[in-house]
Amino acid sequence: MNEIKTGNSPMREELFSILHFFKNNMFLVYISVFVSLFAYGFSMTHFTLSIDEEIALTLGDQYNWSNQGRFGIDILKTLFNFWNTNSITSTFLAVSLFSLSGILWAYSFSSITPRKEGKYIPGSIVILLFLTFPALSENIGFSMMSFELGIGWIIIALASIFISRWAISSNNSKLFLLLGVIFVSFATSIYQAFLSVFIIGCFIQLIIYILHLEESKTKLNLKLYFYILVKITLVSGVSLALYKIADKIVQLFIPSSGYIENFIMWGKKPTSEIILGLLSSFSKLLSGELIYGSKMLLPSMFISLFLIAYFLVKFLINKDRGNAGILVFTLIGYCLIPFLIYFISGSPVPVRGNLVWPLFTSSACLFLFMLVRKVQYRMFIIFVICIISFYQANSIAQLFYSDYQRYEDDVKLANQIGYAITNMDLGETPPFPVVYVGKHEQEIRNGIIKQEVLGYSFFEWDGGNQLRIGDFMQSLGYMYISPSEVQKERAKQIAASMPMWPHKGSIALKEDMIIVNFSGSTGKPLLKISEIQPFGEKYKSNKLAISSVNFDTHNVELAKKTTGTLGAFSRGEDPYFSFPTAPHAQNQSYKFVKIEFSSDIEGNLQLFLLPPNGEYSEVLSGTQNIRSGENVIYCTIPDAITEISAVRIDPPDNSVLNIKNIELIF
């Protein structure tokens, strides 16, 4: 206790130093507010509901975070009674806390040494790039835990400050150590990725400290350097162990759901497959393909590699090596930390799990700024950082606007479904269960951006999830009865013969179930193709004039012959050719498609039908084995298809077909 009391004075001084930093750097607060409003202002003023949030909204305080190893969230929700909230309130609190943590990170990086880089510039660099990193949109937009994540960012920033004071600044206050370990453990219980944030936060402060020594031509004792690394490693290991012990105790009462364990691929897949998967993930991540608006990742990595090369050359060439070797070693570790979770899990990390990158990108630019001494170069760096921050903030705003548009579309579709069910005159709450069959994807249009969760419809997620759609409908006040598993399977069978949404009859009461048919099938091909004529000798049909039809092709060469037939020469993989049925099939309900042709080889021919305003899919397809020579095939059109706008034929690879006749039959 005496040791803790002894550490009370340094802790008090540190807290006063933080308050003093805030008071004397109000410009950083203004920047933080401006950037936060720019990037997150739309989400703070527009209500949305995203994937998974509908479950938490339905379950309230019955939703369990502890079975995911995130018992810290349950503690905070219980402490603040924050089980039931809305996206606007959660986002406002999360952004406020996150902005506050940005200023704390700016303080930690500027206060680790007495070096002065200008009153506001270093802190501005950190805040601009940190607050606007696009991956954070997934965290802030995930309102069911965004407030708790905001608290986690505050806690992990303070933990990094305390441990850096103890390990790097050689402040022997045990209170720094004690609070640091507790804070890291608790932040990890909120979100496991915070452990990597703590490690890179300490490394950034260590690099800044060594750069200061390098400039002042003070050599860091190698023994002291490794002692610092041991301290940081020890705190990380002890904090992780404490978290694991607490998690095991929690699991005695709340069994694990296996959610985190599902990300661990080592031992489940071949090592070579895991390595190739990780390399592919790294490529997508650094190229900006994985995270929308994250074009700064690759330049940040290049800056870090440049710094490694710079100090390596300095170490090899200069007689006075200074701290160059130590900086090379530390910078290599700094570059590897963002991939730590990838290495541990052996699998791609979700966008929302990439918490390290905001600090990495901002600190890489800060290092470059510190090394460059010419004013004009520094001004250019600041100008580029402002442009990048604008781009990133605008990307976040676009993501939130896109998700809002998605939510509005979901609400519109839900209300259309509710209106159709109301018109069945079954009462406000029908006595029959409502079954949603298949999925409904929103039409692709400008302004809709999809990233991990943001932008995805409740009606398309998981291929059309009955539970999710039902919970979303319930969030809008549609309190429908949920179906049993037997009813779900039966509804799929019935839906195969129903029209698809939004056609008339796509919502119907059948066998004591209200079926909402989005796909019209269980996912299996609907088309039946046969060589046997499925209708009588007398029939009505429209015969397509092959010579006057415009075809779309892929790896197929077409040759229209004077005899009125069509030669189709397939080359390469996935050959096909398609043709519109208009004007023959407009406003007509056909039952069959008849195709006469000859083939030079045996093989499988696949036929696709395209509904109006739809797209080709395996659902509306069928396959027939054709012989070498003359063939006549008949395709039966399901009752669910009331109109077709095009037909596509996928011939066997490297085949030659001679199409003689195509008929659409009533």
Side-chain angles (χ1 to χ4, degrees), residues 62-99:
Q62 296 179 10
Y63 191 88
N64 199 329
W65 291 97
S66 297
N67 60 12
Q68 300 177 19
R70 298 170 183 170
F71 54 88
I73 295 180
D74 281 334
I75 293 174
L76 291 175
K77 284 189 176 295
T78 302
L79 180 63
F80 292 101
N81 192 27
F82 207 70
W83 295 100
N84 295 302
T85 183
N86 61 82
S87 67
I88 294 177
T89 302
S90 294
T91 302
F92 171 76
L93 292 173
V95 171
S96 300
L97 293 169
F98 180 57
S99 301

Side-chain angles (χ1 to χ4, degrees), residues 154-175:
I154 297 289
I155 292 173
I156 207 67
L158 290 172
S160 178
I161 293 171
F162 295 160
I163 296 302
S164 294
R165 297 296 179 268
W166 174 72
I168 301 173
S169 301
S170 299
N171 191 315
N172 293 321
S173 168
K174 290 184 172 58
L175 190 55

Side-chain angles (χ1 to χ4, degrees), residues 146-191:
S146 59
F147 168 64
E148 292 76 21
L149 281 176
I151 294 177
W153 274 108
I154 297 289
I155 292 173
I156 207 67
L158 290 172
S160 178
I161 293 171
F162 295 160
I163 296 302
S164 294
R165 297 296 179 268
W166 174 72
I168 301 173
S169 301
S170 299
N171 191 315
N172 293 321
S173 168
K174 290 184 172 58
L175 190 55
F176 280 134
L177 174 60
L178 178 62
L179 288 180
V181 170
I182 293 174
F183 281 9
V184 174
S185 299
F186 186 67
T188 306
S189 74
I190 295 174
Y191 207 67

Side-chain angles (χ1 to χ4, degrees), residues 105 109 112 160 163-164 167-168 195-211 225 228-233 236 326-338 340 356 359-360 363 367:
W105 287 114
F109 300 157
I112 192 66
S160 178
I163 296 302
S164 294
I168 301 173
L195 181 61
S196 297
V197 175
F198 163 74
I199 297 173
I200 201 169
C202 291
F203 263 68
I204 293 169
Q205 293 179 77
L206 177 58
I207 292 170
I208 293 173
Y209 177 73
I210 300 173
L211 286 173
Y225 170 72
I228 292 173
L229 291 183
V230 169
K231 282 183 172 181
I232 295 173
T233 304
S236 302
I326 290 176
L327 278 168
V328 169
F329 185 79
T330 310
L331 283 166
I332 290 174
Y334 163 80
C335 290
L336 292 176
I337 292 171
L340 185 61
V356 175
L359 284 179
F360 183 88
S363 59
F367 297 155

Side-chain angles (χ1 to χ4, degrees), residues 527-598:
L527 302 187
K528 296 180 181 179
I529 300 178
S530 172
E531 294 180 322
I532 301 174
Q533 184 170 308
F535 48 86
E537 293 298 325
K538 294 183 178 181
Y539 59 87
K540 295 181 180 180
S541 69
N542 281 325
K543 187 175 182 179
L544 272 68
I546 297 175
S547 60
S548 62
V549 173
N550 293 321
F551 292 89
D552 290 326
T553 65
H554 178 264
N555 287 336
V556 173
E557 295 179 10
L558 299 180
K560 295 179 181 179
K561 302 181 180 180
T562 56
T563 57
T565 61
L566 179 74
F569 305 85
S570 64
R571 300 289 184 267
E573 297 181 354
D574 192 27
Y576 65 79
F577 59 98
S578 62
F579 50 89
T581 57
H584 307 284
Q586 283 186 322
N587 301 318
Q588 295 283 0
S589 295
Y590 290 94
K591 299 297 183 183
F592 308 97
V593 178
K594 176 183 178 182
I595 304 177
E596 298 179 46
F597 62 94
S598 63

Side-chain angles (χ1 to χ4, degrees), residues 136 139 149 153 191 193-194 197 351-359:
L136 296 169
N139 301 111
L149 281 176
W153 274 108
Y191 207 67
F194 273 129
V197 175
V351 172
R352 68 182 63 168
N354 287 276
L355 299 185
V356 175
W357 292 107
L359 284 179

